[in-house]
Amino acid sequence: MSAAAKSSAPGAPPGRGALRRNLPPARRFLAGRKRVLVRLGGWSLLESAQTFLGGYCLARALDRGFLAGQTGTGLLWLAVAAASILGAGPPMRGVFTQLAELTEPLRDALVRRAVRQALRRAVTDPARTDDRADTGAVSRLTHQTEIVRDSFAGLVLTVRAFVFNAVGALIGLLALAPELLLVVLPPLVLGIGIFLATLLPMASAQRAFLDADEAVAEGVGAVSAGHRDLVACGAQADAAERTGRLIDTAERTSRVLARWAALRTVALGVAGQLPVLLLLVTTPWLLRQGVTTGALAGALTYLLQALLPALHSMMTALGAAGTRLLVVVDRFQDATAAPVPPKAPDPDPDPDPDVVVEAGNPRGRRPSRTAPAVEIRAVTHAYGPDSPPVLDHLHLTVRRGEHIAVVGPSGIGKSTLAGVVSGLVAPDHGTVLLGGEPVTGATAQDLADRRVLIPQQAYVFTGSVRDNLLHLRPDATSGELTYAIGVLGAEPLVDRLGGPDAVLDPRGLSHGERQLLALCRAYLSSAPLVLLDEATCHLDPAAEARAERAFAERAFTDGARARGGALIVVAHRLSSARRADRVLVLDGTTPRFGTHEELLTSSALYRDLFGHWQHTPPPAGG
């Protein structure tokens, strides 16, 4: 939801809140341009005169001319009407000149406001200045300012046209026969009243629809970006449920918007069509009251040529452009107050240090206590029937409690190997065992209980920090949460975000901060096997070393080793390979597996990578 929507007063409909926020600046803007408004009104009065003459001259041409046998008189009255039409050019030119004096200053003011907001956000939230920069500011500077200018100009034109056309038409009806007003005025006023009553609810419905539509786009985009994490964690059902709720909300708001649009159509029929129908139905009565045939023809001219088109244009503009204008202008309002995060319940007390809580494994499955943590038997995988295999008859055994690094050139199959081990990628041939149990045929929950995979693009969702960190293990205690944050060095980040119960906005995080939160989440997971697929590439070397040491110690604990715990790191720095117990070198032909010292002797590729890493400066931290 947009900031403007979030800043609405509690309990107030969005349309009314937006109206209250924008009325004061609108009054100030118009008050500073009184001369422009006066000149605009003066030119528009000439348009009222043209409307008046159109119906009045036709009535007189019939009553005093053609129907009275005075053809010359009738033609003279029609000539006056034609002259009024031909003379409409200069007034319209004056109207558009004054309109520009209103719309261009408004656009300039909005551009200045958008620039101020973007600069303020850049200063107060510098994390947004990376590749996730405030694209909303760009939209406000370009697309949305043009929407405001065009909508405002169309609104002024149509409302002005209706008001001054109505003035000319009503004066003409009064001049022709006051009885005509008794027939025309009540349905006209009723229809306009119904329409005006729908404006604020319509704005509320449109705002809710836009917010719901944006929420769907953001939610689907987040799920798309984090689909590997979701599948790896077995969280597809939760993500589908959240996305389904967003879609249901969008559908519900669209139905509400459609109902208000239907009511607006009814108002147009009452105000525009009903006066014509009543005029035809009451014609016998009007004739008995002395209303002439010419007056009736003039009344129909006023309704069909002036009032009905102007009314239709005004209702369409107010109902569509007006509500859109209110919503878009409201997005330019400064939202300087930070949202207050919801108060979370008191955290659980620290657990008994002598009691170890082990989540997961709901089916009572007991992995073998003697089988390796990971065993890969003759695995082959290619990304197409005619493509060379990325993994070719690969054998690999990872012992319990062992820390393994996987290295190799870009595109050689390191991430594919991580996908095969985690069960996300089914190999073409061969078998993968985790703790002695095959990966093939395991459910998503089974896999989530046995391994956790953190890819390079860490997934963080909107919610509290606590919700993000406990996503894989909601029953973790506050003591375990505090320990995980501390052992991975995430206290400064969590403190800056406002603590575990603070609301987290993923757009305000750098790539490194996202990775650090994802690492904390994985550390809290009950899965004994951890796979880090370049999951620390945006951290600085010190933070990366701390994270890998923490996970290596986690895998070496008695509880994790008994359940098949191990750490597999797809490495992108020499230091990661040096910290590992053993290193797997993928070269596309003959993989090599051994310690750092052994590989310097046995693998030419590893020696080349070692030399490259030594001469490559470390990337900046995230």
Side-chain angles (χ1 to χ4, degrees):
M1 185 177 293
S2 65
K6 293 177 183 177
S7 60
S8 299
R16 295 183 185 277
L19 190 62
R20 282 197 294 268
R21 284 189 297 272
N22 289 286
L23 270 181
R27 291 195 190 101
R28 290 193 298 270
F29 176 80
L30 294 176
R33 288 157 182 83
K34 291 181 179 178
R35 293 184 178 180
V36 176
L37 294 175
V38 170
R39 290 195 294 268
L40 182 62
W43 287 113
S44 299
L45 278 176
L46 296 177
E47 190 172 346
S48 295
Q50 177 195 341
T51 301
F52 169 80
L53 290 174
Y56 189 82
C57 290
L58 176 62
R60 291 297 175 255
L62 289 174
D63 289 338
R64 299 181 182 179
F66 303 118
L67 295 180
Q70 302 292 328
T71 304
T73 303
L75 292 175
L76 182 60
W77 280 107
L78 292 181
V80 173
S84 69
I85 295 174
L86 294 176
M92 289 305 297
R93 179 180 179 183
V95 165
F96 279 97
T97 300
Q98 301 309 313
L99 184 64
E101 296 292 331
L102 283 177
T103 57
E104 295 306 319
L106 175 63
R107 178 185 179 278
D108 295 342
L110 293 177
V111 168
R112 289 192 294 269
R113 177 174 293 181
V115 171
R116 286 198 303 268
Q117 288 176 337
L119 292 176
R120 184 181 297 112
R121 288 191 182 96
V123 172
T124 59
D125 194 2
R128 295 176 67 105
T129 59
D130 61 2
D131 60 333
R132 295 173 328 283
D134 187 8
T135 55
V138 178
S139 176
R140 283 189 290 275
L141 279 171
T142 55
H143 181 58
Q144 294 186 24
T145 53
E146 296 304 319
I147 288 178
V148 172
R149 182 180 67 173
D150 295 343
S151 299
F152 180 66
L155 208 58
V156 171
L157 277 178
T158 53
V159 172
R160 175 207 61 84
F162 172 74
V163 169
F164 286 96
N165 274 296
V167 169
L170 294 176
I171 292 175
L173 290 172
L174 181 62
L176 293 176
E179 293 84 358
L180 293 171
L181 291 178
L182 297 176
V183 176
V184 171
L185 202 55
L188 180 65
V189 173
L190 177 62
I192 292 176
I194 295 174
F195 173 74
L196 293 177
T198 66
L199 282 181
L200 289 181
M202 186 82 173
S204 300
Q206 181 134 5
R207 180 58 176 270
F209 172 75
L210 289 176
D211 289 340
D213 186 62
E214 289 179 358
V216 169
E218 291 180 3
V220 172
V223 169
S224 176
H227 70 280
R228 289 186 62 187
D229 274 2
L230 293 172
V231 175
C233 302
Q236 302 100 309
D238 182 59
E241 182 183 357
R242 294 188 183 196
T243 306
R245 286 199 299 267
L246 293 176
I247 294 173
D248 291 341
T249 301
E251 180 185 7
R252 186 167 56 253
T253 56
S254 67
R255 291 181 182 274
V256 172
L257 184 62
R259 285 196 291 269
W260 285 111
L263 186 57
R264 187 184 68 194
T265 303
V266 171
L268 178 60
V270 172
Q273 306 293 339
L274 190 55
V276 177
L277 179 61
L278 289 178
L279 185 62
L280 296 176
V281 171
T282 59
T283 295
W285 176 80
L286 290 171
L287 291 174
R288 288 196 299 269
Q289 300 302 314
V291 178
T292 64
T293 303
L296 290 173
L300 283 173
T301 300
Y302 284 134
L303 291 176
L304 298 177
Q305 300 296 322
L307 276 178
L308 184 56
L311 181 65
H312 186 276
S313 298
M314 183 193 70
M315 287 190 173
T316 302
L318 280 176
T323 52
R324 183 170 63 246
L325 177 66
L326 183 63
V327 170
V328 176
V329 168
D330 192 47
R331 293 173 185 265
F332 284 85
Q333 292 295 329
D334 291 332
T336 56
V340 180
K343 184 178 180 181
D346 293 336
D348 295 332
D350 290 336
D352 186 339
D354 295 329
V355 178
V356 178
V357 179
E358 186 171 303
N361 203 12
R363 298 161 186 76
R365 186 182 61 247
R366 293 183 177 273
S368 170
R369 293 181 177 272
T370 58
V374 178
E375 191 172 2
I376 298 177
R377 300 175 179 173
V379 164
T380 299
H381 183 73
Y383 284 105
D386 299 324
S387 301
V390 180
L391 304 175
D392 189 10
H393 206 69
L394 177 66
H395 291 267
L396 177 68
T397 300
V398 179
R399 298 186 290 263
R400 294 167 179 262
E402 193 170 21
H403 176 186
I404 299 299
V406 181
V407 302
S410 177
I412 201 65
K414 302 186 295 296
S415 293
T416 301
L417 176 62
V420 168
V421 172
S422 64
L424 297 181
V425 177
D428 299 331
H429 304 286
T431 304
V432 178
L433 304 174
L434 300 184
E437 297 187 17
V439 169
T440 303
T443 66
Q445 186 59 53
D446 290 336
L447 292 175
D449 292 338
R450 293 152 66 181
R451 55 81 182 122
V452 58
L453 167 67
I454 304 297
Q456 179 178 353
Q457 299 298 328
Y459 175 66
V460 181
F461 57 86
T462 300
S464 70
V465 176
R466 184 185 301 273
D467 290 339
N468 273 271
L469 300 188
L470 300 184
H471 183 64
L472 300 181
R473 189 182 164 200
D475 62 345
T477 65
S478 60
E480 291 170 320
L481 175 63
T482 302
Y483 181 78
I485 293 173
V487 77
L488 289 168
E491 304 105 318
L493 172 59
V494 174
D495 291 342
R496 183 181 70 78
L497 294 174
D501 297 318
V503 176
L504 182 64
D505 181 5
R507 296 171 300 178
L509 297 175
S510 68
H511 292 300
E513 290 169 339
R514 291 182 181 216
Q515 287 188 336
L516 190 55
L517 292 177
L519 291 170
C520 292
R521 179 195 300 153
Y523 192 91
L524 285 166
S525 165
S526 60
L529 174 64
V530 177
L531 299 103
L532 304 181
D533 185 4
E534 298 196 18
T536 59
C537 62
H538 294 293
L539 300 180
D540 59 67
E544 179 183 65
R546 181 170 184 168
E548 289 183 3
R549 282 196 300 268
F551 277 101
E553 292 171 0
R554 175 187 184 275
F556 199 72
T557 60
D558 291 339
R561 292 179 66 190
R563 298 175 54 230
L567 172 64
I568 299 177
V569 178
V570 174
H572 63 285
R573 291 187 182 123
L574 168 65
S575 54
S576 291
R578 295 291 300 268
R579 281 189 292 270
D581 298 324
R582 290 189 292 172
V583 181
L584 172 65
V585 182
L586 295 179
D587 62 1
T589 55
T590 307
R592 301 286 183 178
F593 191 38
T595 65
H596 171 70
E597 291 75 14
E598 292 170 346
L599 292 173
L600 286 177
T601 302
S602 63
S603 173
L605 174 61
Y606 189 75
R607 287 195 299 272
D608 291 341
L609 291 173
F610 180 73
H612 171 73
W613 278 334
Q614 280 188 318
H615 294 91
T616 301

